[in-house]
Amino acid sequence: MKKIITHLSNISNWPLWKRNKKKSDDISITESPPASLKEENEKKRKITADNDQEGRNYYVSNEKSLAILKRLIKFEKNQKYLKKEVTLTWLANHLGTNTKYLSETIRMHRNKNFNNYINGLRINYIVSLLHKAQEYRDYKIITLAEKCGYSSSQVFVIAFKKETGVIPSRYISDLKNKLSN
């Protein structure tokens, strides 16, 4: 009985064996075996790195990039980054460009991604207010967050710490101590 079951299982696998044998017959013996996986990955990384180095500016011509940069400077001077609705799409529409061009221009000329760029502008704005006007040092964190375009105090605290190295309350207390001395 055992022989019959083994024989039947071999027969039922016959089409699969035949198909796999045909595939193996199609492979040429003269083909060299592929390089090790590690070597292939190294080659891919090198190609990617070379592509990144030779043309960092993938999307934007220099003329277009400078035009966008001029509009970005105007955007910064007008402090429109304080609006809560500022997103990459909103800003691209506002500047009359597309999101890829804008994102690439910010990355090339500000050395930041869009979110870090906007957060940096907002935090630098609130820090300058903290230094200029004593009243801002007495505001609650949520009020400071709203003043510079954040709808969440938690996001503000994270962005503030990333930009300055300390949380806002610590920064304010250190500033008060420094100014009182």
Side-chain angles (χ1 to χ4, degrees), residues 132-146:
K132 288 179 187 174
Q134 190 274 327
E135 65 202 48
Y136 286 97
R137 292 177 227 137
D138 296 329
Y139 285 173
K140 293 185 178 213
I141 300 300
I142 186 66
T143 308
L144 293 174
E146 289 171 351

Side-chain angles (χ1 to χ4, degrees), residues 20-33:
N20 289 341
K21 175 143 177 39
K22 182 161 176 51
K23 283 182 184 176
S24 67
D25 289 345
D26 292 342
I27 298 173
S28 171
I29 296 173
T30 59
E31 291 179 341
S32 61

Side-chain angles (χ1 to χ4, degrees), residues 11 34 45 54 56-57 60 81 83 85 95 98 101 104-105 115 131 134 144 160 172:
I11 291 174
R45 267 190 237 117
E54 64 185 38
R56 200 88 213 270
N57 194 347
V60 191
Y81 53 85
K83 295 182 177 199
E85 67 269 6
L95 299 180
N98 67 44
Y101 285 11
E104 186 69 16
T105 300
N115 289 331
H131 282 270
Q134 190 274 327
L144 293 174
F160 194 96
I172 293 168

